[in-house]
Amino acid sequence: MSNLLIVKGHFLYTKTAEKFEVHKDMFLVSIDGIVEGIYPTVPDRFKGAQVQDYGDRLIIPGFVDLHLHASQFLQCGVGMTKQLLDWLNDYTFDLEREFQNLEFARKAYSCFADKMVACGTLRSCIFASSSTAGTEVLFDVLKEKGIGAYVGKVNMDQNGPDFITETTEKSLEGTKYLINKFKDEPLVKPIITPRFAPSCSTELLRGLGKLALEYQLPVQSHLSENIDEVKWVQSLFESAKNYSDIYLTNNLYGQTKTIMAHAIYLDDDEKKLALKMDPFLVHCPDSNINVRSGIMPVREYLNMGLKIGLGSDIAGGHKMGLNEAMVRAIQLSKLVALNDEELQPLTIAEVFYMATKGGGSFFGKTGSFEKGFLFDALVIEDDNMIAEMYSLEDRLEKFIYTGDDRNIIARYVEGKCLSPIASRT
Ligand code: GUN
Ligand code: FE
C-alpha cells in the first residue's frame, strides 16, 4: 500500500471549539498523508505494517500561525517599549531593509524557519519584506524545510522610508513574478500582501485586488490594529466609509480568501461587513500588548460567528510558537471578563481550536485528526513524573502553559516526518 503510516500514542484534538477529543493508547492510520482513522488495535487490513510507537507521549495536530513577519524574527524582544508606529519607524523598517542582501536573507530566514519548525508551527501565513528577491529566498528556504505556508512579498509604495518603498509598478511587477514562479507549489504558496492601507496608494491596492481575482489568490493584511494607526488611515483615506472599506472596494476583503490581522477597533458597520465577507480575523495577543495596540473583543466576535485564528505576529509578538499566544489569549480574556461578566473567558479547547483546526481551515483540511484530514502532527514529551498524576487533557494544558519547542520530539507534515532540527532561541 502506498505511503501507509501507523502511529501509536495518546491523540488529542478539537473537532469543535467546545471540547477535546481524547483517544488514549490508540493507533492512527494515515494513507498518503491523510488520516484514515483512529483505532484501538491495528485493523486486520493493515496487519503486518510497521507501527511507530510513541508510548506515553501526547500526539496533537501541528500549530497554525495565521500572522507573522519572517523578516522581523531577529528583532524579537527589541523595541518593546514603543507604540506600533514608532516601533515600525525606529526598528522594524531598518531590519526589513537588510533582506535586499540575499546572503543575509538566506541566513536570517533559515534561523526563522528552523525556529518555526522547532516550535511546531507547521502551517503559517507569512509577511516577508518588500524585496522581491529576498522573498524568493524565503520561498526556497521554507520549501527545503518541508512545512506549509502562504508567503507574501510586502507591498508598499507610499508613506514608508525610501529604502523599502517601491514604485507602484515595481511592487506589482515583483508580486506578479513571485505568483508565476510559485503558484503551483504544493506546500509553500503565494499570498497577496498589502502591508496595511497607509503603505499603499489606491492604485497599488487596485492592482493587487486585480491580481488576487485574476489568479484566485488569498489576501493578507493588517486591519484596525492601533488607535493612532486608525486615525492615520482616516486622515489618509478621507472618503472611505471605514478602514475595512478601503480593502473591500479594491477586491482585497473577502472576494478571495482573506486574512486580516488584529481587527481590534471595528465599528458596527465593519462588524456586519466582516460577517458578510467572512475573513479570518487573527488575534495576536502578545503583539497587541507589546506595542500597546489594545485587546481584540474575541468573545464578542466568536458569539457573532466570525472566524478567528491565532498569530504570533513576530516581532510585534516576542516569541515564536503558539503556546505563548494561546496562554496570552486566555489571560487577556480573563482580564476582559473582570469588567464584563457576560464575556466568558476563553477555554483551553477554544484557544487550541484556534491554533489548530480553526486557523487550519484557511489551508483546507488540517488541524484535526478526523478522517480525511491531512496528518500534520506534533509528538509531545512531557515530564514522566507528572504523566502518572494527571489526565491527558491536564497534561496537554501543562504543555501549552509551560512547554516549548524542547518538548516536541517529532513533527509530521502530511504524513511525512520532518528531519530533526537545531534551532536558536
Ligand atoms: N502594521 C503595518 N506593518 C506592521 C508590522 O510590521 N507589524 C504590525 N504588528 N503591524 C503593522
Ligand atoms: Fe503584523
Side-chain angles (χ1 to χ4, degrees):
M1 191 170 298
S2 54
N3 286 324
L4 172 66
L5 173 72
I6 305 182
V7 176
K8 180 171 182 284
H10 308 311
F11 296 89
L12 294 100
Y13 59 97
T14 43
K15 199 164 150 184
T16 70
E18 270 80 61
K19 67 177 177 68
F20 281 99
E21 310 294 320
V22 181
H23 301 266
K24 188 173 164 54
D25 265 328
M26 294 277 207
F27 297 83
L28 182 146
V29 176
S30 147
I31 299 173
D32 291 334
I34 294 172
V35 177
E36 200 274 338
I38 300 180
Y39 305 96
T41 57
V42 178
D44 282 348
R45 62 189 185 283
F46 305 121
K47 280 267 154 64
Q50 204 190 338
V51 173
Q52 180 67 51
D53 189 349
Y54 286 110
D56 196 34
R57 280 116 173 181
L58 311 178
I59 304 175
I60 62 174
F63 293 135
V64 182
D65 190 336
L66 281 193
H67 180 68
L68 77 170
H69 301 253
S71 56
Q72 296 172 15
F73 175 59
L74 297 178
Q75 193 193 324
C76 282
V78 180
M80 296 278 88
T81 55
K82 304 265 176 185
Q83 278 235 32
L84 174 68
L85 298 177
D86 290 337
W87 175 78
L88 289 172
N89 283 315
D90 296 351
Y91 288 92
T92 312
F93 293 149
D94 287 335
L95 178 57
E96 291 191 18
R97 169 192 217 161
E98 300 299 321
F99 289 82
Q100 294 160 12
N101 172 344
L102 303 188
E103 216 173 295
F104 177 87
R106 175 156 276 279
K107 242 162 121 176
Y109 282 148
S110 296
C111 293
F112 163 81
D114 283 341
K115 186 67 181 177
M116 199 157 61
V117 174
C119 292
T121 302
L122 304 184
R123 308 259 169 190
S124 54
C125 294
I126 306 176
F127 281 53
S129 75
S130 59
S131 163
T132 299
T135 303
E136 200 170 355
V137 171
L138 180 58
F139 273 96
D140 291 339
V141 167
L142 292 168
K143 276 167 54 185
E144 286 160 23
K145 303 291 172 197
I147 51 180
Y150 282 105
V151 174
K153 164 193 161 74
V154 178
N155 297 106
M156 336 172 40
D157 72 343
Q158 63 174 31
N159 295 321
D162 287 349
F163 55 77
I164 55 167
T165 303
E166 297 182 304
T167 61
T168 314
E169 296 72 37
K170 196 165 172 221
S171 189
L172 289 170
E173 202 178 281
T175 306
K176 214 165 161 176
Y177 166 78
L178 293 168
I179 293 170
N180 281 314
K181 178 148 188 204
F182 296 108
K183 68 181 166 36
D184 298 322
E185 283 295 325
L187 271 177
V188 185
K189 301 165 194 273
I191 181 167
I192 300 290
T193 307
R195 178 171 210 124
F196 65 158
S199 302
C200 302
S201 66
T202 302
E203 195 189 345
L204 178 57
L205 291 171
R206 200 178 302 131
L208 291 172
K210 232 171 120 185
L211 287 177
L213 289 181
E214 182 184 342
Y215 290 92
Q216 281 300 297
L217 289 178
V219 173
Q220 62 179 356
S221 193
H222 296 93
L223 173 65
S224 204
E225 173 178 6
N226 178 286
I227 299 215
D228 286 349
E229 172 224 15
V230 173
K231 283 189 191 151
W232 192 29
V233 168
Q234 281 164 348
S235 71
L236 288 171
F237 296 84
E238 276 180 335
S239 61
K241 218 163 83 189
N242 50 49
Y243 197 156
S244 308
D245 198 53
I246 299 165
Y247 297 126
L248 179 76
T249 52
N250 289 295
N251 293 312
L252 295 165
Y253 194 74
Q255 288 87 355
T256 60
K257 216 165 45 167
T258 300
I259 286 186
M260 286 291 158
H262 311 298
I264 295 175
Y265 299 104
L266 301 186
D267 66 25
D268 287 345
D269 285 342
E270 289 181 286
K271 287 176 192 169
K272 277 188 210 134
L273 184 68
L275 258 185
K276 182 170 160 215
M277 301 310 284
D278 208 23
F280 285 71
L281 303 180
V282 191
H283 185 27
C284 307
D286 265 343
S287 168
N288 296 158
I289 297 167
N290 287 335
V291 293
R292 284 190 279 162
S293 290
I295 306 178
M296 182 201 244
V298 182
R299 177 58 71 202
E300 182 194 342
Y301 288 175
L302 289 174
N303 288 345
M304 286 172 65
L306 295 176
K307 291 206 290 255
I308 311 293
L310 276 184
S312 64
D313 194 17
I314 296 301
H318 55 283
K319 271 194 150 179
M320 185 78 89
L322 287 188
N323 296 54
E324 184 80 10
M326 285 188 274
V327 172
R328 203 71 70 235
I330 292 176
Q331 289 177 326
L332 271 186
S333 72
K334 287 178 183 171
L335 292 180
V336 168
L338 286 177
N339 291 325
D340 187 341
E341 283 176 16
E342 304 227 318
L343 298 173
Q344 285 293 308
L346 298 173
T347 65
I348 304 284
E350 283 177 317
V351 294
F352 190 83
Y353 181 85
M354 288 179 203
T356 55
K357 188 179 176 183
S361 63
F362 190 78
F363 290 79
K365 285 189 157 187
T366 180
S368 178
F369 294 146
E370 294 155 70
K371 186 179 165 75
F373 274 66
L374 295 168
F375 185 59
D376 290 350
L378 306 175
V379 182
I380 310 298
E381 177 159 270
D382 52 10
D383 185 342
N384 53 22
M385 271 181 76
I386 67 133
E388 290 168 16
M389 297 163 61
Y390 292 102
S391 70
L392 294 175
E393 273 188 64
D394 286 344
R395 284 171 58 190
L396 178 56
E397 180 175 348
K398 190 173 170 67
F399 163 67
I400 290 169
Y401 269 79
T402 67
D404 57 31
D405 48 340
R406 290 166 296 185
N407 298 94
I408 305 178
I409 60 160
R411 299 145 186 90
Y412 289 86
V413 174
E414 299 186 16
K416 201 163 151 237
C417 192
L418 303 183
S419 14
I421 21 89
S423 76
R424 60 187 283 148
T425 48

